[in-house]
Amino acid sequence: MPQGFTRRAIGALLTATALLLIWRVSSYDVASLAPSSSNNQIAKSGGNPRRIAKVSMLYGNPNPLYERALQSHERHANRWGYPMYVLQEDISEGFWNKPSYVLSLVIQELAKPAAKRSEWLMWVDADSIIINPAIPADIFLPPSDLSEIHFVASKDQNGLNTGIVFFHVHPWTVSMLVETLGHPLYLPEIDLGRSADQEAMARIMKKTTGGPEGQGYAAGMAYLPRPWINTYEWHHAYEGEKGNMLVHFPGLEDDRWPHMANWLDIVEKTPLEWEVPLKESGYDELTREFWAKFRAARDLANSVQEDIWLLPTGTSTSLRQAAVNNVRLALQQHADEPELLQQQVDELKAAVKEESSGR
């Protein structure tokens, strides 16, 4: 690991720790942490019932395509009243700027009175473009009764993709991001690969021990079907359909530029071509059904778990316990696969019936 990265990462962690301590002992709005339109971030605001802010980064050599892509997000943010923050200075090393910047914003928001802070931060990579601005970002967030969910993302064939992610403004997120940033320092022997920050976060998100409550982070996340929030452009075609919110260009290397230019021309010259009203897009019904099934599976697993704890010692519960564990694992890692989740729910119901009948 380069010594420069180690020194800068340690410095970032120390700074984050200091900010966290300030937040822990203060319930006042800290003026010096307030968003601004200074040369390292852009802030815009408006009406925003779920209090979401959009976040990205763009620094280094000028790139007109990235600038135009982020302008599409700015237009979307303005339409729905979301503040937007764009990191424009290098504050860490490479991809580690992303979790470092998000951490700073989460702490900044937590330093405000609850009524004034953002509830969620939506990270968007600069190689993503809004093509249907009629879709509000908050349609994808978990309902308020699913308060244990602090991280909403999607995955592809390589696992977690952090190109489009929702972070809950919550102490849980502070802890998760600090552990993500600390991963290469405390476990330097692990090769995190090319997208080191993404792999580190994926590893932290699978933990079932440690964390703020000793239960890790796995139960605090949910995967949405990726095409809903993170629709890819492949080398040969767009995987989505008219009505999808955005297009993202991961893994295209130099082929990314002509693809981005084509989509930017479309949204800038004929902005209504891919715009579909929310009610006609299907998102409203799909997201409502998704979270309803998520809630039902969670409640069933919790109910059976409580029943197991109350049963007399010596009662056969091994089938039920294993099935409860499988449902919870499906919620944590496979909520975006409805057939698999339903299979685990059905197996739990069967286990309850079998052991309750004494067979």
Side-chain angles (χ1 to χ4, degrees):
M1 182 185 307
Q3 290 184 353
F5 167 76
T6 302
R7 288 195 297 270
R8 296 177 74 180
I10 291 175
L13 282 175
L14 290 174
T15 301
T17 301
L19 288 171
L20 180 56
L21 288 173
I22 291 171
W23 165 68
R24 287 288 189 186
V25 300
S26 174
S27 60
Y28 299 97
D29 188 10
V30 182
S32 63
L33 295 179
S36 69
S37 56
S38 61
N39 61 1
N40 70 333
Q41 62 184 18
I42 300 168
K44 296 185 180 294
S45 63
N48 182 4
R50 287 299 298 271
R51 301 207 302 274
I52 298 174
K54 299 186 77 171
V55 184
S56 192
M57 62 184 181
L58 181 63
Y59 57 87
N61 295 327
N63 187 313
L65 293 176
Y66 285 161
E67 292 171 8
R68 291 166 64 192
L70 287 182
Q71 286 168 9
S72 78
H73 285 284
E74 276 199 82
R75 292 191 294 270
H76 180 246
N78 287 334
R79 178 166 178 166
W80 293 101
Y82 305 146
M84 185 163 179
Y85 305 101
V86 181
L87 176 68
Q88 295 183 305
E89 296 291 341
D90 186 11
I91 61 173
S92 186
E93 184 75 16
F95 292 126
W96 295 100
N97 278 285
K98 180 190 293 188
S100 298
Y101 187 47
V102 173
L103 174 59
S104 74
L105 290 176
V106 172
I107 294 174
Q108 170 182 299
E109 292 301 313
L110 287 171
K112 301 176 183 178
K116 294 184 178 181
R117 69 177 64 138
S118 295
E119 296 178 46
W120 289 84
L121 302 179
M122 179 186 183
W123 176 273
V124 295
D125 276 357
D127 68 336
S128 64
I129 301 168
I130 292 289
I131 61 176
N132 184 9
I135 306 301
D138 57 274
I139 196 75
F140 303 106
L141 296 178
S144 58
D145 63 306
L146 294 174
S147 58
E148 73 274 19
I149 302 301
H150 305 292
F151 182 86
V152 177
S154 63
K155 65 179 189 289
D156 57 22
Q157 68 277 9
N158 298 313
L160 170 67
N161 182 276
T162 56
I164 311 292
V165 185
F166 293 91
F167 296 92
H168 190 199
V169 175
H170 191 277
W172 181 99
T173 306
V174 173
S175 181
M176 183 273 288
L177 289 170
V178 167
E179 288 203 37
T180 296
L181 288 165
H183 190 285
L185 302 178
Y186 293 102
L187 296 169
E189 70 279 5
I190 296 179
D191 182 4
L192 296 173
R194 179 179 178 183
S195 300
D197 64 312
Q198 179 173 275
E199 178 60 24
M201 190 174 294
R203 289 172 177 268
I204 295 300
M205 293 303 303
K206 290 180 180 179
K207 291 180 62 175
T208 55
T209 60
E213 297 180 359
Q215 299 176 353
Y217 301 95
M221 73 173 299
Y223 281 122
L224 291 177
R226 186 179 51 72
W228 291 5
I229 61 169
N230 193 7
T231 324
Y232 285 179
E233 173 90 342
W234 304 114
H235 288 280
H236 60 281
Y238 178 55
E239 71 168 340
E241 57 187 23
K242 190 171 183 178
N244 286 149
M245 180 174 63
L246 57 74
V247 55
H248 187 202
F249 305 85
L252 294 186
E253 305 298 340
D254 287 342
D255 206 18
R256 170 185 290 112
W257 313 125
H259 284 268
M260 286 188 69
N262 179 61
W263 275 106
L264 287 165
D265 286 344
I266 291 173
V267 300
E268 292 169 355
K269 295 177 181 178
T270 56
L272 297 179
E273 182 176 345
W274 282 77
E275 181 166 328
V276 175
L278 175 61
K279 290 185 178 180
E280 297 176 20
S281 70
Y283 276 129
D284 198 13
E285 181 178 349
L286 288 170
T287 53
R288 190 182 303 113
E289 181 181 358
F290 174 89
W291 290 116
K293 290 183 177 179
F294 189 101
R295 180 190 297 108
R298 180 205 63 174
D299 290 349
L300 175 63
N302 289 346
S303 176
V304 175
Q305 184 67 75
E306 291 176 4
D307 290 344
I308 291 173
W309 288 336
L310 294 173
L311 288 172
T313 303
T315 304
S316 177
T317 62
S318 59
L319 292 178
R320 274 173 285 186
Q321 188 61 67
V324 165
N325 295 342
N326 288 338
V327 168
R328 289 177 169 170
L329 180 62
L331 287 170
Q332 295 163 10
Q333 297 295 324
H334 305 287
D336 58 331
E337 304 173 53
E339 295 84 3
L340 190 152
L341 178 58
Q342 186 59 52
Q343 177 184 342
Q344 298 304 325
V345 167
D346 291 343
E347 290 182 3
L348 174 54
K349 292 178 180 178
V352 169
K353 183 177 181 180
E354 180 174 346
E355 288 189 334
S356 296
S357 65
R359 288 180 293 169

